[in-house]
Amino acid sequence: MIRKPAPIPLRQTGEVEIDVRDVTIAFERDGGELVPAVDRVSFQVRRGEFICLLGPSGCGKSTLLNAVAGFESPYEGEVVVAGKSVTGPGPDRGVVFQQPRLFPWKSVKANVAHGPRMAGKSRAEAGAIADELIEMVGLTRSANALPHTLSGGMQQRVAIARALANRPGILLMDEPFGALDAQTRSVMQESLLRLWAQLDTTILFVTHDIDEAVLLADRVLVMSAGPGRIIRDVAVDIPRPRTIETTLGADFQALRRECLDLIRQQSQKAFEGNTDA
Amino acid sequence: MADISTSAVVPPRAAGSLAASGAKRRRDARLRQRLNMAVGLVSIPLFLLLWQLIAQAKIVNPILFPAPTVVARAAMEWVASGEFAQDLAASLKRVATGYVVGSIVGVGCGLLTGRSAFFSGLLGPLFQVLRPIPPIAFVSIVILWFGLSESGKVFLIVWGVFFTVWLSTHLGVQKVDQGLVRAAQMLGTPRRRLVGEVVLLSALPFIVVGLRTAVGISFYTLVAAELAGAFAGIFYRIQLAQQNMQTGLVFAGLAALGLISFIADRCFAMLAQRLVWWR
């Protein structure tokens, strides 16, 4: 039933940066019964790739991302990042959460400078790094503002700048634009693509939004619902730079269709599974 | 359907035509605000006036209920003799020492029990049983332990302050946003710095509430502390005046207690706004 993903020809010359090996993560039901949220998932991400994990809600895609971030430890299997097994969170993997999760007591600049400060950089050095990143996300005028005075979209831009401040090789994004309105989301998607083109960063991006996944990713890993497995590895060979206009093209629509069919089958299966139980 | 009128044909407004109605609104609001402020200003004078009238009407025993003028005279003599300054200094020193020590130990223990299930299990039940015992109940044992020394009085105030600050810190630390902790971790914040960078600040709004409640408690407990035998202090003066039937001075002492703890609470409220500057 579950088709093993076909091997993808290398389009990026980078080495394997994230190696997820047979990872199973379970959660405990009230009765103590263990239910796998992610079941024997394996995939690889090469340096500089932009990968989207796409799946219906509750398919364990965020759990999988948390395992790469080091917030969850796998029951079985392991996550290897840059050749080392992941044992906990670290500054080599910046994370952008669905909620901005900025430190409310710190200014925008101090939030972005936090990582470099923790890495032992001087106040001046950290400040310079923060200024540069704040400029890249277009918030120079709000550098001294406190987070609660900013809009949701601005806060999320600060969160991206903060996650990049340690110059992590990997950026992990957990539905970062899910809480934003449609217009803001579209602007954020384009600016993320520009940012990614400027930086040498590998991105693993979790979303349930098909259009978002196809617009952003080099590869879309489509996941099945409960227990979460990767059912297809869809290569998105639409040329870059991509903009909102890209979504109108026939190649985009064909890939969108492919993902949509997979997701709908999964949602249907999950729905029937629930009614049988 | 066709007869519904819409506001599409309203002519454009002349510049400044809203100014008149705006000015009237502002005037009305200002007037109401001033009236409320005036009522607040006369509250205490009105009470004193009423008290004075009742005292002068000789409805009640003037020795037990001295008129405000008598109280004022007693208060002035108290101040003029220099004893007020001594009493105030002695009381404030006890309150301040007990408050600072109790708060520091309270925050420390709250961090410990809030962060660690082990220490929460070890100390939580003990603290919860000790917490409801009123400090005044310890006066007798404190006299046996510490005699008439200052440390006994400070101990009582520490006792009063500690539990409130401990409990609010404990709850605040337990409610720390785990999302912020994760954010700090992925930015490379070392474990030992998480408390200073995230936990303490995240719990600060709770801690500040506990610290403010503790200001009031420290003044309640001051009374118990000075019951345990003192040679100077506001409540010491009240007891002494009572023994000499100087009811004017008793009331002056009560007023001083009320005023001092009111001022302390106000000062803390202003400080609290700066402590939690991001709210």
Side-chain angles (χ1 to χ4, degrees):
Chain A
M1 205 164 67
I2 286 132
R3 216 171 62 173
K4 212 167 164 75
I8 303 282
L10 290 186
R11 287 167 304 105
Q12 305 263 346
T13 48
E15 336 158 5
V16 173
E17 179 122 48
I18 305 173
D19 192 357
V20 175
R21 299 176 184 164
D22 288 318
V23 163
T24 298
I25 301 169
F27 62 91
E28 214 166 307
R29 281 243 175 92
D30 285 343
E33 180 198 1
L34 281 174
V35 183
V38 171
D39 192 16
R40 285 160 291 168
V41 168
S42 300
F43 66 91
Q44 293 184 332
V45 180
R46 293 180 185 282
R47 179 161 300 158
E49 264 188 315
F50 196 136
I51 301 293
C52 280
L53 277 172
L54 174 71
S57 53
C59 74
K61 53 195 189 296
S62 290
T63 310
L64 202 51
L65 186 99
N66 282 337
V68 179
F71 298 135
E72 303 257 7
S73 58
Y75 277 58
E76 295 168 10
E78 68 171 340
V79 178
V80 177
V81 166
K84 278 195 224 109
S85 186
V86 169
T87 53
D92 56 325
R93 284 150 289 144
V95 184
V96 179
F97 307 93
Q98 181 166 11
Q99 301 301 324
R101 294 188 184 173
L102 301 174
F103 304 120
W105 50 83
K106 288 187 177 201
S107 69
V108 165
K109 185 170 171 179
N111 261 284
V112 180
H114 180 87
R117 288 289 285 159
M118 289 298 119
K121 294 243 175 13
S122 74
R123 191 175 290 272
E125 274 177 289
I129 293 170
D131 282 337
E132 191 193 338
L133 280 160
I134 290 167
E135 201 193 329
M136 279 176 97
V137 297
L139 284 172
T140 301
R141 282 202 303 180
S142 305
N144 294 315
L146 283 173
H148 78 264
T149 62
L150 306 180
S151 70
M154 288 163 92
Q155 290 188 25
Q156 205 56 298
R157 271 144 73 193
V158 179
I160 293 171
R162 181 179 70 170
L164 291 170
N166 282 322
R167 299 275 182 250
I170 297 167
L171 189 59
L172 304 170
M173 308 183 85
D174 188 2
E175 303 198 36
F177 310 143
L180 304 178
D181 62 84
Q183 281 73 31
T184 310
R185 191 183 311 146
S186 154
V187 172
M188 295 285 286
Q189 286 163 351
E190 287 189 1
S191 61
L192 175 64
L193 284 177
R194 277 197 302 274
L195 210 56
W196 175 66
Q198 276 175 279
L199 301 163
D200 175 34
T201 310
T202 310
I203 297 184
L204 185 59
F205 188 109
V206 162
T207 182
H208 62 252
D209 180 335
I210 297 169
D211 289 32
E212 182 169 72
V214 176
L215 175 66
L216 297 178
D218 291 322
R219 286 190 287 144
V220 178
L221 305 179
V222 185
M223 288 185 71
S224 67
R229 291 196 183 117
I230 291 174
I231 49 171
R232 195 167 306 171
D233 188 335
V234 179
V236 183
D237 35 23
I238 302 171
R240 296 182 188 270
R242 301 178 195 161
T243 64
I244 192 74
E245 298 289 318
T246 308
T247 59
L248 302 173
D251 43 359
F252 181 92
Q253 290 300 330
L255 286 163
R256 181 181 182 278
R257 179 92 240 165
E258 184 181 347
C259 293
L260 183 63
D261 288 342
L262 286 163
I263 295 283
R264 286 185 69 166
Q265 277 168 28
Q266 288 307 316
S267 307
Q268 191 69 28
K269 220 183 287 173
F271 181 74
E272 281 160 12
N274 282 340
T275 45
D276 284 348
Chain B
M1 286 293 278
D3 294 334
I4 298 170
S5 69
T6 67
S7 56
V9 284
V10 175
R13 193 181 260 289
S17 67
L18 256 177
S21 42
K24 187 178 179 318
R25 265 168 187 259
R26 271 198 300 276
R27 235 182 358 256
D28 287 354
R30 234 186 346 248
L31 207 66
R32 259 193 311 267
Q33 205 184 348
R34 280 199 191 139
L35 187 71
N36 291 340
M37 243 167 70
V39 169
L41 283 178
V42 298
S43 152
I44 290 174
L46 202 66
F47 170 74
L48 289 177
L49 185 69
L50 207 67
W51 180 6
Q52 182 78 30
L53 288 177
I54 294 174
Q56 277 180 349
K58 303 258 179 344
I59 308 170
V60 289
N61 183 337
I63 293 180
L64 296 183
F65 287 94
T69 45
V70 176
V71 175
R73 208 172 303 126
M76 279 190 300
E77 281 167 19
W78 188 19
V79 173
S81 70
E83 282 170 341
F84 174 73
Q86 285 172 19
D87 291 333
L88 184 67
S91 288
L92 283 185
K93 200 177 150 209
R94 283 173 198 135
V95 166
T97 314
Y99 181 82
V100 170
V101 173
S103 298
I104 291 173
V105 180
V107 170
C109 286
L111 280 173
L112 203 63
T113 59
R115 290 277 289 165
S116 140
F118 176 81
F119 282 108
S120 180
L122 187 69
L123 301 174
L126 179 71
F127 288 172
Q128 292 291 10
V129 171
L130 294 179
R131 191 167 69 91
I133 306 176
I136 201 164
F138 281 89
V139 167
S140 20
I141 195 71
V142 158
I143 292 174
L144 291 179
W145 282 352
F146 297 94
L148 299 182
S149 70
E150 278 302 300
S151 31
K153 296 164 191 59
V154 170
F155 170 83
L156 284 170
I157 296 169
V158 169
W159 186 274
V161 167
F162 167 78
F163 291 105
T164 305
V165 176
W166 163 70
L167 190 63
S168 60
T169 307
H170 175 83
L171 292 177
V173 168
Q174 284 200 322
K175 282 188 208 280
V176 164
D177 181 354
Q178 287 310 311
L180 287 184
V181 173
R182 282 188 169 186
Q185 285 176 324
M186 69 90 184
L187 291 171
T189 314
R191 241 186 106 70
R192 64 194 155 76
R193 292 190 65 177
L194 274 181
V195 169
E197 290 289 338
V198 181
V199 176
L200 206 55
L201 285 161
S202 205
L204 198 58
F206 283 86
I207 299 175
V208 164
V209 170
L211 287 175
R212 186 168 176 189
T213 315
V215 170
I217 289 177
S218 64
F219 279 96
Y220 297 157
T221 320
L222 175 72
V223 173
E226 292 186 359
L227 265 179
F231 305 105
I234 304 280
F235 188 70
Y236 160 79
R237 189 63 53 194
I238 292 176
Q239 280 179 286
L240 204 67
Q242 178 240 331
Q243 283 158 17
N244 298 332
M245 277 306 266
Q246 295 168 296
T247 46
L249 188 52
V250 169
F251 275 90
L254 291 176
L257 266 184
L259 209 61
I260 296 164
S261 49
F262 171 76
I263 291 170
D265 184 66
R266 272 302 135 100
C267 289
F268 193 88
M270 284 195 301
L271 184 71
Q273 275 183 340
R274 287 169 183 242
L275 271 174
V276 194
W277 66 89
W278 61 93
R279 291 234 163 155

